[in-house]
Amino acid sequence: MSADLPKTWVALAVALVLGAVFHGPPRSSIQDHAVCSPTSEGIYTVDPTHPTVQCILVRDTRIADTGSLADITAHSRRPLDFWRPSLKVSFIDPKSIIIPGLADAHAHILSYGSVKLNVDLSGCASKQEVLQRLVDFVKARPDILNDPSKWIQGMGWDQNIWAIPKYPHADDFDAEPLLRGRRIYLDRIDGHAAWVSRRVLQLMGELPNTVDGGEIIRDGSANPTGIFVDSAMSLIPVPPPSKADMLRYFDRTVNDALAVGLTNIHDAATEPDAVEFYRQYAESERLPLRLYLMGHLDSVEYWGDKLPHLVDYGVDERLNLRSVKLFADGALGSSGAALLEPYSDNPSTSGIMRIQEGVLSDLVKRFHADGWQVNIHCIGDRANRVVLDIFEDVFAGANMSETRPRIEHAQIMTFEDLERMGRLGVIPSVQPTHATSDMWYAEPRLGPERVRGAYAYRTMIQMSRNQILPLGSDFPVEGINPLLGFYAAVTRLSVSGRSPHGLQGWYPEQRLTRFQALKGMTLDAAYASFSESVTGSLAVGKKADFVVLDRDIMTVPESEILGTKVLATVIDGEVVYGGL
């Protein structure tokens, strides 16, 4: 029997070899390949066990190994792989780096595309510049030029940067003959106020005297001026986008997103029509990047049963809908943020709570009971306090690592509530470019004491149970490039290198380290969307989502960060922008 044993092993080996020869290698969608840096620290993994490595090994859609080129080459060999070609290795430039695919933890996908394909008013330094952009748009669009009944839509005006920082008026459009009598709807830069034309006011007819959770701005004679704030905006009969419009808007956003290294976007307030658009898209073809939707319906009645739970849905499992977005208040720029005390620059108001506390509490209880992650927009310190009170009550005894409630923006808070948010395990989802956009008027609006609890990102990390701080942009409110947020987080400076506090940045004690900022737009964003086990860092077993940059943003001078170019964006091991 012992003499037959070697013969058995020989026969088995021959059979395996012949099987390999005649049947060839197993099928694989993507050949194993390594992407390496010429240096030993050119790949930032955001994996605490191996923070920097020389190479990553990609097998199909996942990372199979990380380490030195010698190590992954040795590990990539398999027994009896006679047919397998030698490992394909791509090297990046010595000055380049690789980082995990970037996520935007708070954005508005279709709104961005709409702004870019309609009228983008961002940066307009005066009311006249807004009007000129509208005129130029109408002249460039014969379909609108020749049909006054078509709506003109845009976004981005900001009265705070005008010489006279006052709200505009519906009659201002009539100063341009080409705009007179047209249906014009323009969102303020924060999306929390709208400016409409006289023709739109005529279409709306008689308006209510008051609006719960909003305001119709009126003149001294109580006539509407054409400015609608927060919930009052829902009165405006602006037509919703068609499915063809949504596809155009989505394609534009995706193209711009991939070009700046975004591989995952959290869509903050996805309404039912948009949910259906994404669902059908994901069923019929692969989404170009990963989407984490926050469902939203503008109603005080429970609507969680009107949306589908979608987890790793569709072709290649890139669509998720497991959270909802609620609104507690408005925005600071339109004086709609709900404050505990009156505005310092306008003591006649303390802002707007868009929903009654009892109603909001009941909604949170229902959504939590039905298994939804609850994400609530809070800007002012009153709104943040109300929501923390609700979360502390509703989630008492809950495993917060399973529920992961989020406060979107968490912009102005008392120090007591900053500590409480961390103690409770509530996730603050913040946008660093809001700090550098608002810093020029935030202190006059809030006062020198209250502003110290605003945009307090370093404090949030220090107070957090697990140092989680997902970062986003809120595009199109801010730019889509995540490096704008990275730069703002680590410098607290404008893109021109300025701040009210000089070159050291606005309240520099709240600056993040570069690692904290990178983690915020990778692993922390993944945690906030329940995907930290598959994305967010370059670790073995995770999805091969990564970005190649032309310089090392972790070490270059701060002034060079914004000059960084994306050389390649890779999702599931496949190059979707640029090249390796």
Short mmCIF file of all heavy atoms in Angstrom, two decimals, residues 76-125:
data_model
loop_
_atom_site.label_atom_id
_atom_site.label_comp_id
_atom_site.label_asym_id
_atom_site.label_seq_id
_atom_site.Cartn_x
_atom_site.Cartn_y
_atom_site.Cartn_z
N SER A 76 1.25 36.65 -4.73
CA SER A 76 0.31 36.51 -5.85
C SER A 76 0.45 35.18 -6.57
O SER A 76 -0.46 34.78 -7.32
CB SER A 76 0.50 37.65 -6.86
OG SER A 76 1.75 37.52 -7.53
N ARG A 77 1.57 34.49 -6.39
CA ARG A 77 1.76 33.20 -7.06
C ARG A 77 0.90 32.14 -6.40
O ARG A 77 0.79 32.08 -5.17
CB ARG A 77 3.23 32.79 -7.00
CG ARG A 77 4.18 33.72 -7.73
CD ARG A 77 5.55 33.07 -7.90
NE ARG A 77 6.49 33.99 -8.52
CZ ARG A 77 7.41 34.67 -7.85
NH1 ARG A 77 7.52 34.50 -6.55
NH2 ARG A 77 8.23 35.49 -8.48
N ARG A 78 0.28 31.31 -7.23
CA ARG A 78 -0.55 30.22 -6.71
C ARG A 78 0.01 28.89 -7.21
O ARG A 78 0.59 28.82 -8.30
CB ARG A 78 -2.00 30.36 -7.18
CG ARG A 78 -2.63 31.69 -6.82
CD ARG A 78 -4.05 31.76 -7.36
NE ARG A 78 -4.61 33.08 -7.25
CZ ARG A 78 -5.79 33.43 -7.72
NH1 ARG A 78 -6.54 32.54 -8.36
NH2 ARG A 78 -6.25 34.66 -7.57
N PRO A 79 -0.17 27.82 -6.45
CA PRO A 79 0.33 26.50 -6.88
C PRO A 79 -0.26 26.10 -8.23
O PRO A 79 -1.45 26.30 -8.49
CB PRO A 79 -0.15 25.57 -5.77
CG PRO A 79 -0.36 26.45 -4.58
CD PRO A 79 -0.82 27.76 -5.13
N LEU A 80 0.60 25.59 -9.10
CA LEU A 80 0.20 25.02 -10.39
C LEU A 80 -0.40 26.05 -11.34
O LEU A 80 -1.17 25.70 -12.23
CB LEU A 80 -0.80 23.86 -10.18
CG LEU A 80 -0.28 22.69 -9.31
CD1 LEU A 80 -1.39 21.68 -9.09
CD2 LEU A 80 0.93 22.04 -9.96
N ASP A 81 -0.07 27.34 -11.15
CA ASP A 81 -0.54 28.38 -12.07
C ASP A 81 0.38 28.45 -13.29
O ASP A 81 1.00 29.46 -13.58
CB ASP A 81 -0.56 29.75 -11.38
CG ASP A 81 -1.84 30.00 -10.61
OD1 ASP A 81 -2.67 29.08 -10.57
OD2 ASP A 81 -1.99 31.10 -10.05
N PHE A 82 0.48 27.33 -14.03
CA PHE A 82 1.41 27.27 -15.16
C PHE A 82 0.99 28.21 -16.28
O PHE A 82 1.81 28.71 -17.03
CB PHE A 82 1.50 25.83 -15.69
CG PHE A 82 1.94 24.84 -14.65
CD1 PHE A 82 1.06 23.91 -14.13
CD2 PHE A 82 3.24 24.86 -14.17
CE1 PHE A 82 1.46 23.01 -13.16
CE2 PHE A 82 3.65 23.95 -13.20
CZ PHE A 82 2.75 23.02 -12.69
N TRP A 83 -0.32 28.41 -16.43
CA TRP A 83 -0.82 29.23 -17.53
C TRP A 83 -0.81 30.73 -17.22
O TRP A 83 -0.93 31.55 -18.10
CB TRP A 83 -2.26 28.82 -17.85
CG TRP A 83 -3.17 29.09 -16.69
CD1 TRP A 83 -3.78 30.26 -16.36
CD2 TRP A 83 -3.49 28.18 -15.65
NE1 TRP A 83 -4.48 30.16 -15.20
CE2 TRP A 83 -4.33 28.87 -14.74
CE3 TRP A 83 -3.18 26.84 -15.39
CZ2 TRP A 83 -4.86 28.27 -13.61
CZ3 TRP A 83 -3.71 26.25 -14.27
CH2 TRP A 83 -4.53 26.96 -13.39
N ARG A 84 -0.73 31.09 -15.95
CA ARG A 84 -0.94 32.47 -15.55
C ARG A 84 0.27 33.33 -15.92
O ARG A 84 1.40 32.99 -15.58
CB ARG A 84 -1.20 32.55 -14.05
CG ARG A 84 -1.69 33.92 -13.58
CD ARG A 84 -1.96 33.89 -12.08
NE ARG A 84 -2.99 32.93 -11.75
CZ ARG A 84 -4.29 33.18 -11.77
NH1 ARG A 84 -4.71 34.38 -12.13
NH2 ARG A 84 -5.16 32.25 -11.45
N PRO A 85 0.07 34.45 -16.63
CA PRO A 85 1.20 35.31 -16.98
C PRO A 85 1.79 35.94 -15.74
O PRO A 85 1.17 35.95 -14.67
CB PRO A 85 0.56 36.37 -17.89
CG PRO A 85 -0.88 36.39 -17.49
CD PRO A 85 -1.22 34.98 -17.10
N SER A 86 2.98 36.47 -15.89
CA SER A 86 3.60 37.13 -14.74
C SER A 86 2.75 38.33 -14.33
O SER A 86 2.00 38.89 -15.13
CB SER A 86 5.01 37.59 -15.12
OG SER A 86 4.96 38.46 -16.23
N LEU A 87 2.86 38.69 -13.09
CA LEU A 87 2.02 39.75 -12.53
C LEU A 87 2.23 41.06 -13.28
O LEU A 87 3.35 41.53 -13.46
CB LEU A 87 2.36 39.94 -11.05
CG LEU A 87 1.56 41.01 -10.30
CD1 LEU A 87 0.10 40.61 -10.22
CD2 LEU A 87 2.14 41.20 -8.89
N LYS A 88 1.14 41.65 -13.69
CA LYS A 88 1.19 42.96 -14.34
C LYS A 88 1.35 44.03 -13.27
O LYS A 88 0.60 44.06 -12.28
CB LYS A 88 -0.09 43.21 -15.13
CG LYS A 88 -0.14 44.58 -15.80
CD LYS A 88 -1.47 44.80 -16.51
CE LYS A 88 -1.55 46.20 -17.10
NZ LYS A 88 -2.86 46.45 -17.74
N VAL A 89 2.31 44.91 -13.45
CA VAL A 89 2.60 45.95 -12.46
C VAL A 89 2.59 47.30 -13.14
O VAL A 89 3.24 47.50 -14.18
CB VAL A 89 3.96 45.72 -11.78
CG1 VAL A 89 4.22 46.83 -10.75
CG2 VAL A 89 4.02 44.35 -11.11
N SER A 90 1.83 48.25 -12.56
CA SER A 90 1.83 49.63 -13.04
C SER A 90 2.47 50.50 -11.97
O SER A 90 2.16 50.36 -10.78
CB SER A 90 0.39 50.11 -13.29
OG SER A 90 -0.26 49.31 -14.25
N PHE A 91 3.35 51.39 -12.39
CA PHE A 91 4.01 52.31 -11.46
C PHE A 91 3.49 53.72 -11.68
O PHE A 91 3.36 54.17 -12.82
CB PHE A 91 5.53 52.29 -11.64
CG PHE A 91 6.20 51.10 -11.01
CD1 PHE A 91 6.45 49.96 -11.77
CD2 PHE A 91 6.57 51.12 -9.68
CE1 PHE A 91 7.07 48.87 -11.20
CE2 PHE A 91 7.19 50.02 -9.10
CZ PHE A 91 7.43 48.89 -9.86
N ILE A 92 3.20 54.41 -10.60
CA ILE A 92 2.85 55.82 -10.69
C ILE A 92 4.14 56.65 -10.68
O ILE A 92 5.21 56.15 -10.35
CB ILE A 92 1.92 56.26 -9.54
CG1 ILE A 92 2.61 56.07 -8.18
CG2 ILE A 92 0.61 55.49 -9.60
CD1 ILE A 92 1.82 56.64 -7.01
N ASP A 93 4.02 57.91 -11.04
CA ASP A 93 5.17 58.81 -11.02
C ASP A 93 5.69 58.98 -9.59
O ASP A 93 4.90 58.95 -8.63
CB ASP A 93 4.74 60.17 -11.59
CG ASP A 93 5.90 61.12 -11.75
OD1 ASP A 93 6.19 61.86 -10.79
OD2 ASP A 93 6.51 61.12 -12.84
N PRO A 94 6.99 59.16 -9.42
CA PRO A 94 7.53 59.31 -8.06
C PRO A 94 6.91 60.45 -7.26
O PRO A 94 6.87 60.39 -6.03
CB PRO A 94 9.03 59.57 -8.31
CG PRO A 94 9.31 58.95 -9.63
CD PRO A 94 8.06 59.12 -10.44
N LYS A 95 6.42 61.50 -7.95
CA LYS A 95 5.81 62.61 -7.23
C LYS A 95 4.33 62.39 -6.92
O LYS A 95 3.74 63.13 -6.13
CB LYS A 95 5.96 63.90 -8.05
CG LYS A 95 7.40 64.37 -8.21
CD LYS A 95 7.46 65.67 -9.00
CE LYS A 95 8.91 66.15 -9.16
NZ LYS A 95 8.97 67.41 -9.94
N SER A 96 3.75 61.36 -7.54
CA SER A 96 2.32 61.09 -7.36
C SER A 96 2.08 60.24 -6.11
O SER A 96 3.00 59.64 -5.57
CB SER A 96 1.76 60.38 -8.59
OG SER A 96 1.86 61.18 -9.74
N ILE A 97 0.81 60.21 -5.70
CA ILE A 97 0.41 59.33 -4.61
C ILE A 97 -0.91 58.66 -4.96
O ILE A 97 -1.62 59.08 -5.89
CB ILE A 97 0.25 60.07 -3.27
CG1 ILE A 97 -0.89 61.12 -3.36
CG2 ILE A 97 1.54 60.70 -2.83
CD1 ILE A 97 -1.32 61.65 -2.00
N ILE A 98 -1.22 57.61 -4.22
CA ILE A 98 -2.52 56.93 -4.32
C ILE A 98 -3.22 57.06 -2.97
O ILE A 98 -2.59 56.89 -1.92
CB ILE A 98 -2.35 55.45 -4.70
CG1 ILE A 98 -1.81 55.33 -6.13
CG2 ILE A 98 -3.66 54.69 -4.57
CD1 ILE A 98 -1.50 53.90 -6.55
N ILE A 99 -4.50 57.39 -3.00
CA ILE A 99 -5.32 57.46 -1.80
C ILE A 99 -6.60 56.66 -2.06
O ILE A 99 -6.93 56.36 -3.21
CB ILE A 99 -5.67 58.91 -1.43
CG1 ILE A 99 -6.41 59.60 -2.59
CG2 ILE A 99 -4.42 59.68 -1.05
CD1 ILE A 99 -6.90 61.01 -2.26
N PRO A 100 -7.33 56.30 -1.03
CA PRO A 100 -8.61 55.61 -1.26
C PRO A 100 -9.56 56.49 -2.06
O PRO A 100 -9.44 57.73 -2.08
CB PRO A 100 -9.14 55.38 0.16
CG PRO A 100 -7.94 55.44 1.05
CD PRO A 100 -7.02 56.44 0.41
N GLY A 101 -10.52 55.86 -2.74
CA GLY A 101 -11.55 56.62 -3.44
C GLY A 101 -12.21 57.60 -2.50
O GLY A 101 -12.53 57.28 -1.34
N LEU A 102 -12.43 58.83 -2.96
CA LEU A 102 -12.98 59.88 -2.11
C LEU A 102 -14.51 59.84 -2.11
O LEU A 102 -15.13 59.56 -3.13
CB LEU A 102 -12.49 61.24 -2.59
CG LEU A 102 -10.97 61.43 -2.52
CD1 LEU A 102 -10.56 62.74 -3.17
CD2 LEU A 102 -10.49 61.38 -1.07
N ALA A 103 -15.07 60.13 -0.96
CA ALA A 103 -16.53 60.18 -0.81
C ALA A 103 -16.94 61.59 -0.43
O ALA A 103 -16.22 62.29 0.29
CB ALA A 103 -17.00 59.19 0.25
N ASP A 104 -18.08 62.02 -0.91
CA ASP A 104 -18.69 63.27 -0.47
C ASP A 104 -19.88 62.89 0.41
O ASP A 104 -20.85 62.32 -0.07
CB ASP A 104 -19.16 64.11 -1.66
CG ASP A 104 -19.51 65.53 -1.24
OD1 ASP A 104 -20.24 65.70 -0.25
OD2 ASP A 104 -19.04 66.48 -1.91
N ALA A 105 -19.78 63.19 1.70
CA ALA A 105 -20.78 62.72 2.65
C ALA A 105 -22.05 63.56 2.68
O ALA A 105 -22.99 63.23 3.42
CB ALA A 105 -20.18 62.66 4.05
N HIS A 106 -22.10 64.62 1.88
CA HIS A 106 -23.32 65.43 1.84
C HIS A 106 -23.32 66.26 0.55
O HIS A 106 -22.55 67.22 0.43
CB HIS A 106 -23.41 66.36 3.05
CG HIS A 106 -24.68 67.13 3.14
ND1 HIS A 106 -25.64 66.88 4.11
CD2 HIS A 106 -25.18 68.15 2.39
CE1 HIS A 106 -26.66 67.71 3.94
NE2 HIS A 106 -26.40 68.50 2.90
N ALA A 107 -24.16 65.88 -0.39
CA ALA A 107 -24.21 66.59 -1.67
C ALA A 107 -25.61 66.46 -2.27
O ALA A 107 -26.48 65.76 -1.74
CB ALA A 107 -23.17 66.01 -2.63
N HIS A 108 -25.81 67.16 -3.38
CA HIS A 108 -27.11 67.16 -4.06
C HIS A 108 -26.85 66.91 -5.55
O HIS A 108 -26.54 67.84 -6.30
CB HIS A 108 -27.83 68.49 -3.81
CG HIS A 108 -28.02 68.78 -2.35
ND1 HIS A 108 -29.05 68.24 -1.62
CD2 HIS A 108 -27.29 69.53 -1.49
CE1 HIS A 108 -28.96 68.65 -0.36
NE2 HIS A 108 -27.89 69.44 -0.26
N ILE A 109 -26.98 65.67 -5.93
CA ILE A 109 -26.50 65.21 -7.23
C ILE A 109 -27.24 65.87 -8.39
O ILE A 109 -26.62 66.47 -9.28
CB ILE A 109 -26.62 63.68 -7.32
CG1 ILE A 109 -25.70 63.03 -6.28
CG2 ILE A 109 -26.27 63.19 -8.71
CD1 ILE A 109 -25.90 61.54 -6.12
N LEU A 110 -28.55 65.76 -8.42
CA LEU A 110 -29.30 66.31 -9.55
C LEU A 110 -29.31 67.83 -9.54
O LEU A 110 -29.32 68.47 -10.60
CB LEU A 110 -30.72 65.76 -9.56
CG LEU A 110 -30.83 64.24 -9.72
CD1 LEU A 110 -32.30 63.80 -9.76
CD2 LEU A 110 -30.12 63.76 -10.99
N SER A 111 -29.29 68.42 -8.36
CA SER A 111 -29.24 69.89 -8.29
C SER A 111 -27.96 70.42 -8.91
O SER A 111 -27.97 71.45 -9.60
CB SER A 111 -29.34 70.35 -6.83
OG SER A 111 -30.61 70.07 -6.29
N TYR A 112 -26.85 69.73 -8.67
CA TYR A 112 -25.59 70.17 -9.26
C TYR A 112 -25.68 70.15 -10.78
O TYR A 112 -25.31 71.13 -11.46
CB TYR A 112 -24.45 69.26 -8.79
CG TYR A 112 -23.11 69.59 -9.42
CD1 TYR A 112 -22.25 70.50 -8.83
CD2 TYR A 112 -22.71 68.98 -10.62
CE1 TYR A 112 -21.03 70.81 -9.41
CE2 TYR A 112 -21.49 69.29 -11.21
CZ TYR A 112 -20.66 70.20 -10.60
OH TYR A 112 -19.45 70.50 -11.20
N GLY A 113 -26.15 69.05 -11.34
CA GLY A 113 -26.28 68.97 -12.79
C GLY A 113 -27.21 70.02 -13.35
O GLY A 113 -26.96 70.61 -14.41
N SER A 114 -28.30 70.27 -12.61
CA SER A 114 -29.25 71.30 -13.04
C SER A 114 -28.61 72.68 -13.09
O SER A 114 -28.78 73.43 -14.05
CB SER A 114 -30.45 71.32 -12.09
OG SER A 114 -31.32 72.39 -12.39
N VAL A 115 -27.84 73.01 -12.06
CA VAL A 115 -27.18 74.31 -12.03
C VAL A 115 -26.21 74.46 -13.19
O VAL A 115 -26.17 75.49 -13.88
CB VAL A 115 -26.44 74.51 -10.69
CG1 VAL A 115 -25.55 75.75 -10.74
CG2 VAL A 115 -27.43 74.62 -9.55
N LYS A 116 -25.43 73.41 -13.44
CA LYS A 116 -24.42 73.49 -14.49
C LYS A 116 -25.03 73.56 -15.88
O LYS A 116 -24.42 74.12 -16.81
CB LYS A 116 -23.46 72.30 -14.39
CG LYS A 116 -22.63 72.30 -13.12
CD LYS A 116 -21.82 73.58 -12.96
CE LYS A 116 -21.04 73.61 -11.67
NZ LYS A 116 -20.32 74.91 -11.48
N LEU A 117 -26.23 73.01 -16.04
CA LEU A 117 -26.85 73.00 -17.36
C LEU A 117 -27.91 74.08 -17.52
O LEU A 117 -28.49 74.23 -18.59
CB LEU A 117 -27.46 71.62 -17.64
CG LEU A 117 -26.43 70.48 -17.76
CD1 LEU A 117 -27.12 69.14 -17.91
CD2 LEU A 117 -25.48 70.72 -18.92
N ASN A 118 -28.15 74.84 -16.46
CA ASN A 118 -29.06 75.99 -16.54
C ASN A 118 -28.26 77.26 -16.26
O ASN A 118 -27.35 77.57 -16.99
CB ASN A 118 -30.25 75.78 -15.60
CG ASN A 118 -31.23 74.74 -16.13
OD1 ASN A 118 -31.87 74.94 -17.16
ND2 ASN A 118 -31.32 73.60 -15.45
N VAL A 119 -28.59 77.99 -15.21
CA VAL A 119 -27.87 79.24 -14.94
C VAL A 119 -27.14 79.14 -13.62
O VAL A 119 -27.76 79.09 -12.55
CB VAL A 119 -28.83 80.45 -14.92
CG1 VAL A 119 -28.03 81.75 -14.88
CG2 VAL A 119 -29.75 80.45 -16.13
N ASP A 120 -25.83 79.12 -13.69
CA ASP A 120 -24.99 79.06 -12.50
C ASP A 120 -24.65 80.49 -12.08
O ASP A 120 -23.94 81.20 -12.79
CB ASP A 120 -23.72 78.27 -12.80
CG ASP A 120 -22.84 78.06 -11.57
OD1 ASP A 120 -23.17 78.62 -10.50
OD2 ASP A 120 -21.84 77.33 -11.68
N LEU A 121 -25.15 80.90 -10.92
CA LEU A 121 -24.98 82.28 -10.46
C LEU A 121 -23.93 82.42 -9.37
O LEU A 121 -23.78 83.49 -8.78
CB LEU A 121 -26.33 82.81 -9.94
CG LEU A 121 -27.47 82.77 -10.94
CD1 LEU A 121 -28.79 83.13 -10.27
CD2 LEU A 121 -27.20 83.72 -12.11
N SER A 122 -23.21 81.35 -9.10
CA SER A 122 -22.21 81.41 -8.04
C SER A 122 -21.14 82.44 -8.39
O SER A 122 -20.72 82.56 -9.54
CB SER A 122 -21.57 80.04 -7.82
OG SER A 122 -21.01 79.54 -9.02
N GLY A 123 -20.74 83.20 -7.39
CA GLY A 123 -19.70 84.20 -7.58
C GLY A 123 -20.17 85.53 -8.10
O GLY A 123 -19.35 86.46 -8.23
N CYS A 124 -21.45 85.68 -8.41
CA CYS A 124 -21.96 86.97 -8.89
C CYS A 124 -21.79 88.02 -7.80
O CYS A 124 -22.37 87.91 -6.72
CB CYS A 124 -23.43 86.86 -9.28
SG CYS A 124 -23.72 86.02 -10.85
N ALA A 125 -21.01 89.06 -8.09
CA ALA A 125 -20.67 90.05 -7.08
C ALA A 125 -21.71 91.16 -6.95
O ALA A 125 -21.56 92.04 -6.10
CB ALA A 125 -19.31 90.66 -7.39
#
